[in-house]
Amino acid sequence: MPYLDHAATTPVLPEVADVVAAQLRSTGNPSSLHASGRAARRVIEEARETIAAALGALPTEVVFTSGGTEADNLAVKGIYWSRRAADPRRSRVLASSIEHHAVMDSVEWLGKHEYAEVEWLPVDHTGRVDLAALRHTVEADPSSVALITVMWANNEVGTLQSIRDIVEIALSYGIPVHSDAVQAVGHVPVDFAATGLDALSISGHKLGAPVGVGALLLRRDLNPVPLLHGGGQERDVRSGTLDTAGILGLATAVDIAVRRQSHEARRLAALHDSLVRVVIDAVPDAVRNGDPEGLPTIANFSIPGCEGDSLLMLLDAYGIACSTGAACSAGVPEPSHVLLAMGISDPLVRGSLRFSLGHTSTEADVAAVANVIASVVERARNAGLVNRSA
Ligand SMILES: Cc1ncc(COP(=O)(O)O)c(C=O)c1O
């Protein structure tokens, strides 16, 4: 089955499945003092070192979470609360207007319930944050900024941000910067220390580990207010018994994904280009969304005269899994805030379709799309005409 939805979740790597299954057979709470507990603790600490080494962080900077959503919530809310507690003037939160809901909704929640003044940073038509606008916003009153959060790679269109330039703007004012790098790790080089970031989110199931494990890389001098209270694990920032098997899976997946990154990026870029050619040849008026210099794994199109949902369902009938640009909240599709922020017109936003590639992708997946895309688009357009005349 052609699976072209790796940005939603990617298959667990076989090496990861093996180590996770083996680890699940051993018992031991990493906080227990007996031999089984100490053995589990060793697994956790080795995993922490592996992840730190792969991503340019210190082992003490790795805070394990249940995934990207939790890492984003902890960074955004926790840093906001601690910065505001230290100085009540710090109430502004600056976030890009194309963040994933895990960041966007956390920021909005702070605005509604915690007196945050939220400022959404504009992006250009490719989805890149306007750095001049960011500088202007920061410099209007730097002492009132609690934090800046800008994602490394966008999950809908694959656009990459200049994280170093963003950190540079914040650095001279001592403003912490968080980046959601859930879609970046394994696809582009990610070095936490080199960027100067204060916090960075990763998620296991986007890079070949199981769902339900992730991490926040967090500088030692930042003490976000925890979201979860309990046993005081993970620097007292994230309480809860550590998931030894999941964390081992995360470390194994990060290690493999980072070691294979440059080879995979070249392989997937070639597949990506042939996928784009196939779609544009079959549907000449299809519009590509995003920055052509973005992730080699995401190809987002708008197809005039179609509903993204119809395209998705028709492709699904041929066994091809992909996604629309629309975010689905509680089963109700909403027009993509990402595409709207990029200035794309409403009908094109509704006709958007995302193919995303990953470690199991091959030419056969592209060929499957090539075989059906023209007829799928024709049928989706006809369905649109019928719906409009009904
Ligand atoms: C950019 C981005 N951030 C955060 C998340 C949420 O991660 P998780 O599914 O691990 O909670 C996702 C997943 O779709 C994502 O693409």
Side-chain angles (χ1 to χ4, degrees):
M1 297 272 275
Y3 183 77
L4 289 160
D5 203 15
H6 289 260
T9 195
T10 199
V12 172
L13 289 160
E15 301 89 329
V16 172
D18 290 346
V19 295
V20 170
Q23 185 60 40
L24 284 172
R25 290 192 193 93
S26 36
T27 304
N29 183 325
S31 298
S32 297
L33 298 179
H34 48 62
S36 328
R38 293 199 306 276
R41 171 58 60 184
R42 239 185 337 271
V43 172
I44 299 282
E45 296 314 323
E46 282 171 15
R48 205 186 295 286
E49 282 168 23
T50 302
I51 292 170
L55 301 178
L58 299 171
T60 51
E61 292 174 327
V62 179
V63 174
F64 291 113
T65 67
S66 62
T69 300
E70 189 193 333
D72 285 342
N73 272 261
L74 174 57
V76 170
K77 296 175 186 166
I79 295 173
Y80 170 78
W81 282 323
S82 68
R83 291 266 298 161
R84 203 193 51 186
D87 182 343
R89 283 177 308 168
R90 294 173 181 153
S91 59
R92 291 161 76 210
V93 177
L94 315 185
S96 91
S97 46
I98 58 161
E99 292 299 308
H100 185 272
H101 276 282
V103 167
M104 193 172 91
D105 293 12
S106 297
V107 169
E108 270 176 2
W109 185 88
L110 288 175
K112 278 200 192 112
H113 302 282
E114 289 292 319
Y115 311 104
E117 286 168 60
V118 177
E119 289 169 54
W120 299 107
L121 303 166
V123 296
D124 67 14
H125 69 285
T126 69
R128 284 173 72 94
V129 167
D130 180 338
L131 294 176
L134 170 63
R135 185 180 292 281
H136 186 261
T137 307
V138 169
E139 291 181 349
D141 185 9
S143 60
S144 65
V145 181
L147 88 141
I148 298 172
T149 177
V150 175
M151 71 199 313
W152 194 303
N154 181 265
N155 49 300
E156 291 186 31
V157 292
T159 299
L160 298 164
Q161 303 297 337
S162 329
I163 296 296
R164 266 205 233 202
D165 293 333
I166 290 165
V167 171
E168 182 113 344
I169 292 170
L171 204 59
S172 47
Y173 303 107
I175 300 167
V177 183
H178 163 253
S179 184
D180 174 337
V182 163
Q183 296 287 346
V185 173
H187 297 314
V188 290
V190 170
D191 187 321
F192 184 60
T195 56
L197 278 168
D198 296 275
L200 177 150
S201 306
I202 69 170
S203 166
H205 73 108
K206 309 292 183 173
L207 41 83
V211 178
V213 65
L216 182 67
L217 305 186
L218 184 67
R219 276 173 59 109
R220 283 293 315 184
D221 52 358
L222 272 188
N223 290 308
V225 173
L227 305 180
L228 304 179
H229 298 91
Q233 290 90 343
E234 299 300 272
R235 290 164 47 181
D236 221 358
V237 163
R238 200 280 185 176
S239 283
T241 301
L242 289 164
D243 167 13
T244 310
I247 287 169
L248 175 60
L250 177 67
T252 309
V254 168
D255 183 47
I256 293 174
V258 168
R259 274 192 289 111
R260 293 182 184 159
Q261 185 269 317
S262 65
H263 177 266
E264 272 294 89
R266 274 195 300 279
R267 187 182 77 82
L268 294 176
L271 274 187
H272 173 277
D273 291 351
S274 69
L275 178 63
V276 169
R277 261 195 315 276
V278 152
V279 174
I280 300 289
D281 284 353
V283 189
D285 58 346
V287 181
R288 274 208 61 199
N289 298 316
D291 185 350
E293 302 300 313
L295 285 179
T297 48
I298 293 185
N300 185 310
F301 301 92
S302 285
I303 307 208
C306 291
E307 294 292 329
D309 286 354
S310 313
L311 293 166
L312 184 147
M313 297 318 293
L314 288 161
L315 287 165
D316 185 47
Y318 288 106
I320 297 172
C322 63
S323 147
T324 64
C328 208
S329 63
V332 181
E334 288 172 1
S336 156
H337 66 280
V338 172
L339 299 179
L340 291 173
M342 288 162 55
I344 293 167
S345 66
D346 205 49
L348 286 180
V349 171
R350 278 191 282 118
S352 68
L353 195 65
R354 177 190 73 182
F355 296 107
S356 53
L357 303 162
H359 64 95
T360 57
S361 302
T362 64
E363 275 294 348
D365 299 324
V366 177
V369 174
N371 283 340
V372 301
I373 190 71
S375 75
V376 158
V377 167
E378 193 187 329
R379 284 163 64 193
R381 281 184 174 150
N382 288 340
L385 290 176
V386 171
N387 286 344
R388 267 192 287 282
S389 59

